[in-house]
Amino acid sequence: MNTKQPKIAVVTGAGSGIGRAVATELLRAGWSVALAGRRLTRLEETAALAPEGASVAVRTDVSQPDDVAALFAAAVDRFGRVDLLFNNAGTFGPGGVAVEELPYEAWRHVVDTNLNGAFLCAQAAFRQMKEQEPQGGRIINNGSVSAHAPRPHSVAYTATKHALTGLTKSLSLDGRPYGIAVGQIDIGNAATDMTARMETGALQANGVIAPEPVMDVADVARTVRHMAELPLAANVQFATVLATAMPYVGRG
């Protein structure tokens, strides 16, 4: 990115975990950030971690088109443009539920948040980035190593993360005429509230419960910042960042 241009980001799921870590990393690096999430108090806590930064907190349910439209309107009203969308909001859904017992409502909630929400935010970002001057921007989708390999009893989460890879590829192609670069970061076992159970024991493919290594979420945030600050002529299409010894590559 040309450092002479403003650096304005929208980060969804910014109230906790990876979203909070990325938002504070960007704020401390001089970005202005629209913080999106379901709980305003958590967004305000994120903003307080980088009080020197320029941020605006917008209560947003990414599965609701009107909320997403309001989020991007608030970002543009406050900062004038959008240079980056970190499409991060997501949910694992009910853990440990066999596919034959998964309620449809639970499936639908995961799909609405992880996939439909990502699409709605990307669509809003496209509309803004296409029309603004100078034209263009970047979208980084938060995939997961589940975009490559599932965990047991994770059918809804895994299906949406595989779908995100297709969304990323399609958006990347469609963004070319407008200077919109689209990439995906696939993350494995970053230490957040969502992955706290990994350190005490997670179900493995062979049916064994075993603890797994985790990594500092700050390492993920620095990777996202690197992707975000590339010039728009360059793009990290896919990046995988994971705890080095987690059971993912090969047979664990």
Side-chain angles (χ1 to χ4, degrees):
M1 176 178 293
N2 185 342
T3 56
K4 294 182 179 180
Q5 296 296 335
K7 298 187 294 183
I8 313 300
V10 173
V11 177
T12 66
S16 62
I18 291 167
R20 172 173 284 182
V22 169
T24 54
E25 174 74 16
L26 293 175
L27 285 167
R28 289 165 180 162
W31 288 70
S32 300
V33 182
L35 307 167
R38 293 174 184 264
R39 291 175 288 178
L40 191 59
T41 55
R42 298 300 300 271
L43 300 176
E44 291 168 345
E45 290 169 4
T46 298
L49 294 173
E52 73 283 2
S55 64
V56 59
V58 186
R59 198 213 67 80
T60 308
D61 179 344
V62 296
S63 70
Q64 300 301 312
D66 289 347
D67 278 19
V68 172
L71 166 64
F72 279 81
V76 174
D77 182 63
R78 176 67 178 272
F79 301 121
R81 59 183 287 114
V82 174
D83 297 294
L84 170 69
L85 164 64
F86 182 43
N87 226 347
N88 168 72
T91 181
F92 192 82
V97 179
V99 61
E100 67 272 18
E101 298 174 1
L102 183 70
Y104 174 72
E105 293 76 13
W107 164 272
R108 182 63 183 267
H109 175 65
V110 175
V111 172
D112 280 345
T113 302
N114 295 6
L115 181 57
N116 294 341
F119 163 74
L120 289 171
C121 290
Q123 183 182 55
F126 254 67
R127 288 169 174 161
Q128 174 59 34
M129 292 172 179
K130 180 179 176 181
E131 298 302 323
Q132 64 194 11
E133 185 62 40
Q135 190 181 65
R138 188 180 305 275
I139 298 170
I140 301 173
N141 293 325
N142 182 351
S144 168
V145 295
S146 290
H148 305 271
R151 289 187 176 277
H153 306 317
S154 65
V155 64
Y157 185 78
T158 300
T160 58
K161 293 303 185 177
H162 274 65
L164 270 180
T165 298
L167 180 69
T168 297
K169 291 179 179 179
S170 189
L171 292 172
S172 185
L173 181 61
D174 292 346
R176 288 178 182 176
Y178 313 113
I180 301 173
V182 185
Q184 180 170 313
I185 183 167
D186 296 327
I187 302 161
N189 286 16
T192 67
D193 291 343
M194 192 175 182
T195 61
R197 62 187 177 86
M198 302 298 179
E199 293 182 271
T200 57
L203 180 63
Q204 306 299 306
N206 63 358
V208 171
I209 303 292
E212 295 185 13
V214 298
M215 63 178 169
D216 191 333
V217 70
D219 295 324
V220 176
R222 283 191 290 269
T223 304
V224 172
R225 179 185 163 196
H226 166 70
M227 295 169 70
E229 293 186 339
L230 288 171
L232 290 177
N235 187 39
V236 176
Q237 187 68 72
F238 292 97
T240 301
V241 182
L242 71 167
T244 303
M246 71 172 289
Y248 169 63
V249 175
R251 301 193 181 193

